Amino acid sequence: CAMSVYSRRDSSRYWISYTNEKGVRVREPAFTDKASSERRLRERLTAVERRLAGFPDEDQLPSGLMIDDLLSEYLDGLQSSQRSPKWIQTNRYRFKILMAQSGWRWLSDIAPRSADRPLRGLKGTPKTRSQYQGMLNAFLNWCVRRGRLPVNPCSSLEPIPIGPKNHRRAFTEPELIALLNSVPHGRY
């Protein structure tokens, strides 16, 4: 089974290359960190070996855990913490939007590809989409801590870039004079 981790000139990420169980060469982007990319390659190779041995993929099996039930448990736990009812209501609403757009019902339905598309397609500012991603990661990390998931399936998603923040500053003296001179007399 041929495998490699390599970098490309046109990408800031490392790429992994391996042969799947059908003998087809697969190339996919991994991470900007080489060690993480190597770990991803090992995970992919383990999955190929499992399929060759006849084991079903772990992510293909329904986990028996419906997202609605887990989400209720998660948000109920947050009510006992310092979170406001408005915050909890907003996150419940946002998670329902993600579930509707991605078609998730079971916890095993959540995967990086199924999460990336709805997150990138959400209406709103980049900051809002980033908040959706943060909310999803917080829920999945909670599932990991509770033993409902072995790992957060969306931890490999790239953060949604928010963009530069506009920094306000005071007018300089020439700018202030020009502004005041542009206003008709008696208007200031």
Side-chain angles (χ1 to χ4, degrees):
C1 177
M3 60 179 186
S4 66
V5 175
Y6 61 96
S7 62
R8 292 176 28 176
R9 290 183 187 151
D10 62 340
S11 175
S12 62
R13 293 178 166 195
Y14 283 92
W15 285 66
I16 60 174
S17 172
Y18 61 94
T19 305
N20 69 11
E21 66 277 4
K22 297 175 184 171
V24 177
R25 185 173 177 194
V26 178
R27 296 181 190 124
E28 65 182 74
F31 302 97
T32 55
D33 175 48
K34 188 172 184 179
S36 299
S37 300
E38 290 170 343
R39 185 176 66 241
R40 169 65 56 86
L41 178 60
R42 286 192 302 273
E43 291 168 358
R44 295 292 193 257
L45 291 175
T46 300
V48 167
E49 290 169 0
R50 287 181 56 82
R51 286 191 291 272
L52 285 173
F55 292 104
D57 286 343
E58 293 174 1
D59 59 350
Q60 298 298 321
L61 300 173
S63 66
L65 301 172
M66 291 197 72
I67 294 175
D68 282 333
D69 299 335
L70 289 172
L71 185 61
S72 294
E73 184 182 337
Y74 170 67
L75 293 174
D76 290 344
L78 290 178
Q79 280 180 336
S80 62
S81 68
Q82 293 97 6
R83 294 295 184 178
S84 71
K86 176 72 175 166
W87 186 91
I88 292 170
Q89 178 186 4
T90 300
N91 279 304
R92 184 183 305 274
Y93 173 75
R94 286 177 172 180
F95 210 95
K96 295 292 181 182
I97 289 173
L98 277 179
M99 287 174 60
Q101 288 188 358
S102 61
W104 298 331
R105 286 189 60 221
W106 302 94
L107 190 58
S108 59
D109 292 340
I110 301 175
R113 284 187 181 170
S114 70
D116 193 43
R117 191 172 35 257
L119 284 170
R120 304 275 176 201
L122 286 170
K123 292 181 181 175
T125 65
K127 183 176 180 181
T128 302
R129 292 193 306 262
S130 180
Q131 289 172 343
Y132 272 82
Q133 186 176 10
M135 180 250 345
L136 175 62
N137 274 323
F139 171 69
L140 294 173
N141 287 335
W142 175 85
C143 289
V144 170
R145 286 192 307 273
R146 298 279 187 228
R148 309 299 173 104
L149 283 173
V151 294
N152 178 348
C154 294
S155 63
S156 63
L157 287 179
E158 289 287 324
I160 295 173
I162 294 176
K165 190 170 187 165
N166 294 337
H167 295 284
R168 295 182 180 188
R169 61 173 180 79
F171 285 119
T172 63
E173 189 175 340
E175 290 172 335
L176 187 58
I177 291 170
L179 176 65
L180 293 175
N181 287 336
S182 68
V183 177
H185 184 69
R187 298 288 294 192
Y188 59 89

mmCIF file of all heavy atoms in Angstrom, residues 19 24 37 40 47 49-50 87 92-93 101-102 175 179 185:
data_model
loop_
_atom_site.group_PDB
_atom_site.id
_atom_site.type_symbol
_atom_site.label_atom_id
_atom_site.label_comp_id
_atom_site.label_asym_id
_atom_site.label_seq_id
_atom_site.Cartn_x
_atom_site.Cartn_y
_atom_site.Cartn_z
ATOM 1 N N THR A 19 -3.335 4.341 -1.054
ATOM 2 C CA THR A 19 -4.134 3.491 -1.919
ATOM 3 C C THR A 19 -5.260 2.894 -1.093
ATOM 4 O O THR A 19 -5.013 2.293 -0.042
ATOM 5 C CB THR A 19 -3.267 2.369 -2.526
ATOM 6 O OG1 THR A 19 -2.143 2.976 -3.190
ATOM 7 C CG2 THR A 19 -4.050 1.537 -3.507
ATOM 8 N N VAL A 24 -7.329 2.088 -5.626
ATOM 9 C CA VAL A 24 -7.343 3.424 -6.220
ATOM 10 C C VAL A 24 -6.501 4.368 -5.358
ATOM 11 O O VAL A 24 -6.627 4.372 -4.136
ATOM 12 C CB VAL A 24 -8.791 3.961 -6.320
ATOM 13 C CG1 VAL A 24 -8.816 5.373 -6.867
ATOM 14 C CG2 VAL A 24 -9.638 3.033 -7.171
ATOM 15 N N SER A 37 -0.831 15.697 10.008
ATOM 16 C CA SER A 37 -1.078 15.099 8.698
ATOM 17 C C SER A 37 -0.664 13.634 8.684
ATOM 18 O O SER A 37 -1.342 12.789 8.108
ATOM 19 C CB SER A 37 -0.327 15.871 7.617
ATOM 20 O OG SER A 37 -0.745 17.214 7.595
ATOM 21 N N ARG A 40 -3.313 11.709 10.429
ATOM 22 C CA ARG A 40 -4.470 11.530 9.552
ATOM 23 C C ARG A 40 -4.224 10.392 8.564
ATOM 24 O O ARG A 40 -5.090 9.566 8.310
ATOM 25 C CB ARG A 40 -4.758 12.835 8.813
ATOM 26 C CG ARG A 40 -5.755 12.772 7.667
ATOM 27 C CD ARG A 40 -7.179 12.409 8.068
ATOM 28 N NE ARG A 40 -7.742 13.270 9.057
ATOM 29 C CZ ARG A 40 -8.364 14.422 8.820
ATOM 30 N NH1 ARG A 40 -8.503 14.848 7.593
ATOM 31 N NH2 ARG A 40 -8.852 15.128 9.802
ATOM 32 N N ALA A 47 -8.303 2.547 8.540
ATOM 33 C CA ALA A 47 -9.653 2.351 8.007
ATOM 34 C C ALA A 47 -9.617 1.444 6.778
ATOM 35 O O ALA A 47 -10.482 0.565 6.618
ATOM 36 C CB ALA A 47 -10.290 3.690 7.666
ATOM 37 N N GLU A 49 -7.351 -0.889 6.121
ATOM 38 C CA GLU A 49 -7.070 -2.245 6.601
ATOM 39 C C GLU A 49 -8.302 -2.881 7.225
ATOM 40 O O GLU A 49 -8.568 -4.077 7.039
ATOM 41 C CB GLU A 49 -5.915 -2.208 7.608
ATOM 42 C CG GLU A 49 -4.579 -1.887 6.975
ATOM 43 C CD GLU A 49 -3.494 -1.594 7.994
ATOM 44 O OE1 GLU A 49 -3.770 -1.632 9.209
ATOM 45 O OE2 GLU A 49 -2.362 -1.308 7.570
ATOM 46 N N ARG A 50 -9.097 -2.102 7.945
ATOM 47 C CA ARG A 50 -10.332 -2.629 8.552
ATOM 48 C C ARG A 50 -11.323 -3.070 7.473
ATOM 49 O O ARG A 50 -11.948 -4.113 7.576
ATOM 50 C CB ARG A 50 -10.975 -1.595 9.471
ATOM 51 C CG ARG A 50 -10.231 -1.383 10.787
ATOM 52 C CD ARG A 50 -10.929 -0.355 11.668
ATOM 53 N NE ARG A 50 -12.314 -0.675 11.954
ATOM 54 C CZ ARG A 50 -12.736 -1.514 12.898
ATOM 55 N NH1 ARG A 50 -11.848 -2.121 13.647
ATOM 56 N NH2 ARG A 50 -14.020 -1.739 13.083
ATOM 57 N N TRP A 87 -28.965 32.652 25.792
ATOM 58 C CA TRP A 87 -27.831 31.994 25.147
ATOM 59 C C TRP A 87 -28.206 30.559 24.791
ATOM 60 O O TRP A 87 -27.914 30.083 23.694
ATOM 61 C CB TRP A 87 -26.622 32.033 26.076
ATOM 62 C CG TRP A 87 -25.361 31.511 25.462
ATOM 63 C CD1 TRP A 87 -24.422 32.216 24.788
ATOM 64 C CD2 TRP A 87 -24.905 30.153 25.460
ATOM 65 N NE1 TRP A 87 -23.405 31.394 24.374
ATOM 66 C CE2 TRP A 87 -23.682 30.110 24.770
ATOM 67 C CE3 TRP A 87 -25.404 28.962 25.979
ATOM 68 C CZ2 TRP A 87 -22.962 28.951 24.581
ATOM 69 C CZ3 TRP A 87 -24.686 27.795 25.782
ATOM 70 C CH2 TRP A 87 -23.488 27.801 25.094
ATOM 71 N N ARG A 92 -29.755 26.432 20.790
ATOM 72 C CA ARG A 92 -30.708 25.383 20.385
ATOM 73 C C ARG A 92 -31.209 25.685 18.972
ATOM 74 O O ARG A 92 -31.240 24.810 18.111
ATOM 75 C CB ARG A 92 -31.873 25.309 21.370
ATOM 76 C CG ARG A 92 -32.851 24.170 21.073
ATOM 77 C CD ARG A 92 -34.022 24.165 22.028
ATOM 78 N NE ARG A 92 -33.637 24.130 23.416
ATOM 79 C CZ ARG A 92 -33.380 23.030 24.114
ATOM 80 N NH1 ARG A 92 -33.451 21.852 23.523
ATOM 81 N NH2 ARG A 92 -33.060 23.098 25.383
ATOM 82 N N TYR A 93 -31.567 26.946 18.726
ATOM 83 C CA TYR A 93 -32.048 27.368 17.414
ATOM 84 C C TYR A 93 -30.971 27.167 16.348
ATOM 85 O O TYR A 93 -31.242 26.640 15.270
ATOM 86 C CB TYR A 93 -32.477 28.836 17.484
ATOM 87 C CG TYR A 93 -32.841 29.444 16.162
ATOM 88 C CD1 TYR A 93 -34.036 29.142 15.535
ATOM 89 C CD2 TYR A 93 -31.966 30.333 15.529
ATOM 90 C CE1 TYR A 93 -34.370 29.699 14.315
ATOM 91 C CE2 TYR A 93 -32.290 30.898 14.305
ATOM 92 C CZ TYR A 93 -33.495 30.580 13.710
ATOM 93 O OH TYR A 93 -33.818 31.128 12.503
ATOM 94 N N GLN A 101 -30.046 21.737 7.646
ATOM 95 C CA GLN A 101 -29.269 21.929 6.424
ATOM 96 C C GLN A 101 -28.371 20.744 6.095
ATOM 97 O O GLN A 101 -28.045 20.518 4.941
ATOM 98 C CB GLN A 101 -28.436 23.201 6.522
ATOM 99 C CG GLN A 101 -29.263 24.454 6.440
ATOM 100 C CD GLN A 101 -28.422 25.700 6.336
ATOM 101 O OE1 GLN A 101 -27.201 25.662 6.362
ATOM 102 N NE2 GLN A 101 -29.080 26.833 6.225
ATOM 103 N N SER A 102 -27.949 20.009 7.110
ATOM 104 C CA SER A 102 -27.023 18.905 6.867
ATOM 105 C C SER A 102 -27.708 17.542 6.833
ATOM 106 O O SER A 102 -27.134 16.575 6.364
ATOM 107 C CB SER A 102 -25.944 18.890 7.951
ATOM 108 O OG SER A 102 -26.563 18.707 9.210
ATOM 109 N N GLU A 175 -7.285 66.359 9.284
ATOM 110 C CA GLU A 175 -8.541 65.709 8.900
ATOM 111 C C GLU A 175 -9.735 66.416 9.543
ATOM 112 O O GLU A 175 -10.771 66.619 8.904
ATOM 113 C CB GLU A 175 -8.530 64.235 9.318
ATOM 114 C CG GLU A 175 -7.586 63.366 8.528
ATOM 115 C CD GLU A 175 -7.456 61.953 9.083
ATOM 116 O OE1 GLU A 175 -7.688 61.756 10.296
ATOM 117 O OE2 GLU A 175 -7.104 61.055 8.292
ATOM 118 N N LEU A 179 -12.778 68.310 7.621
ATOM 119 C CA LEU A 179 -14.164 67.923 7.871
ATOM 120 C C LEU A 179 -15.002 69.143 8.237
ATOM 121 O O LEU A 179 -16.086 69.356 7.696
ATOM 122 C CB LEU A 179 -14.232 66.868 8.982
ATOM 123 C CG LEU A 179 -15.629 66.436 9.406
ATOM 124 C CD1 LEU A 179 -16.337 65.714 8.254
ATOM 125 C CD2 LEU A 179 -15.565 65.537 10.620
ATOM 126 N N HIS A 185 -21.492 76.707 6.758
ATOM 127 C CA HIS A 185 -21.378 77.590 7.930
ATOM 128 C C HIS A 185 -22.689 77.558 8.738
ATOM 129 O O HIS A 185 -23.769 77.638 8.180
ATOM 130 C CB HIS A 185 -21.040 79.019 7.478
ATOM 131 C CG HIS A 185 -20.814 79.945 8.639
ATOM 132 N ND1 HIS A 185 -19.721 79.821 9.445
ATOM 133 C CD2 HIS A 185 -21.562 80.972 9.132
ATOM 134 C CE1 HIS A 185 -19.787 80.742 10.405
ATOM 135 N NE2 HIS A 185 -20.903 81.458 10.224
#
